[in-house]
């Protein structure tokens, strides 16, 4: 079990074998991502990355709200010199580089940095109350944690422009149609569905899962040829793992495999 006493803005639990749940927990501020809140999420992800027992992580805000973006109270005080130090950018880098499967369970608002942190996740499960948006333009700024790039690549130019330029939100069904969310479920089921998916992934061979995640993400910033090359090398590495031998042996012996992450 993780030590959760160090956190004030998140809850951390291991609700199923090999599955960690990180719950954003600043309900009064609609889970606005203050520096401390984001840093705690990143610290929890770092611990999850280090812990061999953890094979998949669910990030959620619970049943009511995912996250309403950067904390505007803090942002009001931020100046250029502080921003240029890059502390927040490095925190986002910590989310981006998380190497294990990360599933977002989104209910209610996922706005600004909230939408961006959902898009940092590998899979988004939306509750039927989910609302995704990049409303930064309403407060005189623009997305700054990957929103313009990830949204355009995921939902296409026109919808991305509508969300980023007009600040309009989309609901769960629109997010599903646009490919931002992979499933829409009743809001009270979103966390449970994400946990079940995480549990399914957690039963797979961890090294294969890790390399497969990396390979899919490479498709965002590599040419097809380089991506295929990466895939081939990753595939070749997996042929040398004990889990591959176990997986094939279990199939041939008609039994369930037990993967060790070796
Ligand atoms: N930062 C700080 N506090 C926030 C917040 C935020 N982003 N969003 C909501 N809150 C606070 C409100 O100030 C309010 O606090 P009080 O009760 O103390 O007044 C509380 O949460 C509840 O909010 P509302 O009363 O506004 O609730 P609502 O249901 O009427 O509206 C909302 C909900 C549409 C999400 C609205 O709160 C809102 O528009 N929030 C701001 C969303 C936003 O602009 N996000 C982008 C921020 S910039 C960013 O994200 C950039 C980045 O990371 C790179």
């Amino acid at each position: 079990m993780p030590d959760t006493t160090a956190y004030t803005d998140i809850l951390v639990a291991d609700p199923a074998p090999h599955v960690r749940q990180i719950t954003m927990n600043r309900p009064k501020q609609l889970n606005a991502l203050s520096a401390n809140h984001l840093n705690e999420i990143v610290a929890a992800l770092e611990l999850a990355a280090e812990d061999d027992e953890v094979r998949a992580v669910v990030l959620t805000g619970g049943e009511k709200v995912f996250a309403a973006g950067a904390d505007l109270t803090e942002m009001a005080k931020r100046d250029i010199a502080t921003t240029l130090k890059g502390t927040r950018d490095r925190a986002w880098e910590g989310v981006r580089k998380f190497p294990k499967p990360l599933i977002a369970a989104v209910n209610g608002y996922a706005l600004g940095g909230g939408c961006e942190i959902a898009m940092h996740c590998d899979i988004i499960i939306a509750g039927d109350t989910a609302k995704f948006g990049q409303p930064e333009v309403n407060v005189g700024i623009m997305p700054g944690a990957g929103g313009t790039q990830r949204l355009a690549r995921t939902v296409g130019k026109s919808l991305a422009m509508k969300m980023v330029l007009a600040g309009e939100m989309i609901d769960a069904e629109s997010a599903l149609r646009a490919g931002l969310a992979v499933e829409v479920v009743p809001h009270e089921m979103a966390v449970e569905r994400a946990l079940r998916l995480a549990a399914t992934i957690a039963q797979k061979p961890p090294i294969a899962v890790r390399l497969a995640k990396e390979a899919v993400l490479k498709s965002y910033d590599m040419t097809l040829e380089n991506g295929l090359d990466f895939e081939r090398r990753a595939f070749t590495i997996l042929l040398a793992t004990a889990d591959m031998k176990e997986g094939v042996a279990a199939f041939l012996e008609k039994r369930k495999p037990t993967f060790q992450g070796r």
Side-chain angles (χ1 to χ4, degrees):
M1 254 314 265
D3 172 21
T4 58
T5 53
Y7 303 121
T8 56
D9 294 342
I10 60 170
L11 304 171
V12 181
D14 289 349
H18 304 302
V19 174
R20 184 149 295 172
Q21 179 177 341
I22 301 174
T23 305
M24 297 178 279
N25 189 37
R26 296 183 80 215
K28 282 194 185 130
Q29 296 84 7
L30 305 185
N31 289 335
L33 293 163
S34 64
N36 185 68
H37 191 190
L38 185 59
N39 288 341
E40 286 190 2
I41 293 168
V42 173
L45 287 175
E46 274 167 10
L47 285 180
E50 288 296 313
D51 188 341
D52 288 341
E53 281 304 302
V54 178
R55 295 186 182 175
V57 175
V58 169
L59 176 68
T60 186
E63 272 196 28
K64 292 210 170 101
V65 63
F66 189 70
D71 190 312
L72 291 170
T73 321
E74 261 186 19
M75 194 174 276
K77 297 177 204 141
R78 222 194 286 170
D79 57 19
I80 288 210
T82 318
T83 307
L84 285 177
K85 279 189 198 159
T87 317
R88 200 166 171 92
D89 295 339
R90 282 191 293 281
W92 280 109
E93 198 68 2
V95 185
R96 187 172 77 78
K97 296 226 165 121
F98 182 64
K100 297 178 183 179
L102 184 56
I103 302 172
V106 177
N107 282 314
Y109 295 115
L111 303 178
C115 188
E116 288 168 312
I117 205 166
M119 287 192 287
H120 274 71
C121 295
D122 303 310
I123 298 170
I124 299 178
I125 302 291
D128 51 12
T129 58
K131 284 198 185 316
F132 298 87
Q134 297 290 160
E136 288 90 340
V137 72
N138 294 336
V139 291
I141 48 174
M142 59 178 276
T148 58
Q149 304 305 297
R150 289 199 176 86
L151 203 56
R153 282 164 207 230
T154 307
V155 306
K157 180 177 120 181
S158 202
L159 182 52
M161 289 291 192
K162 186 171 84 160
M163 293 169 74
V164 170
L165 304 185
E168 280 193 14
M169 299 181 209
I170 59 170
D171 64 14
E173 285 298 333
S174 306
L176 180 68
R177 274 197 306 277
L180 183 57
V182 73
E183 288 176 23
V184 178
V185 297
H187 62 278
E188 66 278 11
M189 299 297 294
V191 175
E192 193 184 316
R193 172 64 187 125
L195 288 172
R196 259 196 296 125
L197 192 55
T200 299
I201 294 171
Q203 285 169 15
K204 312 293 180 200
I207 304 175
V209 165
R210 184 183 179 133
L211 288 177
K213 166 173 170 160
E214 208 177 330
V216 173
L217 289 177
K218 290 286 180 206
S219 71
Y220 281 94
D221 54 20
M222 273 189 173
T223 61
L224 179 61
E225 197 177 333
N226 289 344
L228 290 172
D229 197 38
F230 180 89
E231 183 192 85
R232 216 164 12 246
R233 284 162 202 263
F235 176 82
T236 307
I237 290 170
L238 291 174
L239 293 178
T241 60
D243 281 348
M244 180 267 179
K245 291 182 181 56
E246 164 66 5
V248 174
F251 175 78
L252 296 176
E253 291 160 21
K254 300 192 188 306
R255 61 174 171 82
K256 265 188 91 179
T258 307
F259 295 119
Q260 310 281 354
R262 285 186 284 121

